[in-house]
């Protein structure tokens, strides 16, 4: 075996095939299940609306260039060993890695900052973000008025 980097995910016998069937930012099916890194994941806890306790997984970037940034949200249910793909309303934050994130008791996922590589391989930092609301399956942009400067986590 090899040592995984800090941003890689461990796939134990395909128990967690997070990215199968997802769509990248270019609308291309990710059917080859490439390795992703820099996603965020949180446990939804109890009383998550009409859903049981699940693991929420959002975003990520392909491990090797050319980089593809993923904007999808999936839920893993350990009781049924199944994944659920959701199609939220609103606009997710633009593709990024090393973003800050927070999951709150009222079932909202906050995404802020992060960075991406532009077509000239320059690192571009974000001072933008969005909130995903689990209970109504929607994204809301966070205002940038008086926001902190661009940053990574």
């Amino acid at each position: 075996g090899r040592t995984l980097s800090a941003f890689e995910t461990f796939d134990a016998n395909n128990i967690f095939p997070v990215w199968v069937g997802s769509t990248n930012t270019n609308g291309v099916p990710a059917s080859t299940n490439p390795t992703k890194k820099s996603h965020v994941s949180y446990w939804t806890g109890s009383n998550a609306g009409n859903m049981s306790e699940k693991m929420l997984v959002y975003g990520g970037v392909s491990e090797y260039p050319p980089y593809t940034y993923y904007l999808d949200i999936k839920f893993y249910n350990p009781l049924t060993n199944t994944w659920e793909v959701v199609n939220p309303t609103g606009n997710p934050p633009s593709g990024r890695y090393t973003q800050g994130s927070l999951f709150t008791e009222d079932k909202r996922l906050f995404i802020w900052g992060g960075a991406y590589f532009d077509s000239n391989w320059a690192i571009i930092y974000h001072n933008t973000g969005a909130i995903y609301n689990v209970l109504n399956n929607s994204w809301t942009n966070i205002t940038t008025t008086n926001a902190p400067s661009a940053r990574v986590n």
Side-chain angles (χ1 to χ4, degrees):
R2 67 182 179 88
T3 302
L4 298 176
S5 76
F7 295 107
E8 288 182 290
T9 55
F10 176 68
D11 182 0
N13 300 316
N14 289 320
I15 293 172
F16 300 111
V18 176
W19 307 107
V20 173
S22 65
T23 303
N24 66 25
T25 54
N26 299 320
V28 177
S31 58
T32 58
N33 197 17
T35 302
K36 304 294 186 292
K37 59 184 176 181
S38 196
H39 64 278
V40 299
S41 59
Y42 289 96
W43 188 246
T44 62
S46 60
N47 300 318
N50 61 357
M51 55 187 285
S52 61
E53 296 182 4
K54 297 179 182 178
M55 177 177 64
L56 177 156
V57 178
Y58 164 74
V61 61
S62 55
E63 183 173 13
Y64 301 106
Y67 294 111
T68 300
Y69 298 89
Y70 294 82
L71 307 177
D72 53 351
I73 291 181
K74 296 189 179 187
F75 290 96
Y76 174 71
N77 184 330
L79 298 176
T80 60
N81 192 28
T82 58
W83 286 95
E84 174 189 1
V85 178
V86 296
N87 295 303
T89 59
N91 296 313
S94 56
R96 59 193 67 207
Y97 69 99
T98 65
Q99 65 280 335
S101 64
L102 170 73
F103 191 74
T104 63
E105 288 184 20
D106 62 351
K107 312 305 177 205
R108 295 183 299 161
L109 171 65
F110 287 73
I111 301 292
W112 184 262
Y116 70 96
F117 289 98
D118 72 7
S119 59
N120 295 315
W121 297 103
I123 298 175
I124 307 299
Y125 296 95
H126 289 287
N127 75 328
T128 60
I131 304 165
Y132 172 68
N133 185 317
V134 170
L135 300 178
N136 67 15
N137 192 31
S138 67
W139 283 103
T140 303
N141 290 326
I142 297 173
T143 183
T144 55
T145 303
N146 297 319
S149 60
R151 57 194 66 208
V152 296
N153 185 11

